[in-house]
Amino acid sequence: MAKPNAKGPVRTVQIRCAKCKFQLIKYRKGGKGALVKCFKERIVEDFTLEEGICPSCHRQFARNTLIRGVPALKIVGTKVTMK
């Protein structure tokens, strides 16, 4: 499988915690579907202290993984919202 296009998407979305609405990351998202994974090379700004943990309510919203050999955050359930 091919690696994700590093400069590809230009649409930036804000990802917030579904429970406390704290802004977690700004991400360059491609496609129209739901957010399932975030490639780390596409993260524009990261507002978390610990990767994958909401600093406000301390809930885990994502876990580290490799997708097609590229570091990414895999979203856990529906613990984030996009705007």
Side-chain angles (χ1 to χ4, degrees):
M1 290 187 134
K3 290 186 179 181
N5 188 349
K7 58 183 172 179
V10 292
R11 186 179 87 160
T12 302
V13 294
Q14 296 177 5
I15 300 172
R16 298 180 178 274
C17 178
K19 182 178 181 183
C20 67
K21 306 299 183 214
F22 184 85
Q23 184 174 354
L24 301 168
I25 56 177
K26 280 188 182 177
Y27 181 70
R28 288 188 332 232
K29 184 179 182 321
K32 297 180 255 182
L35 188 69
V36 178
K37 61 190 172 287
C38 294
F39 291 106
K40 290 184 182 182
E41 61 192 25
R42 291 187 185 175
I43 294 175
V44 178
E45 270 186 274
D46 189 356
F47 300 102
T48 62
L49 304 174
E50 276 185 76
E51 202 167 64
I53 306 289
C54 175
S56 180
C57 65
H58 305 290
R59 261 175 72 173
Q60 182 179 14
F61 68 89
R63 64 179 182 271
N64 283 318
T65 189
L66 283 177
I67 298 175
R68 294 180 232 137
V70 179
L73 292 174
K74 176 85 171 155
I75 304 300
V76 177
T78 55
K79 301 210 174 157
V80 298
T81 58
M82 277 190 318
K83 183 177 179 185

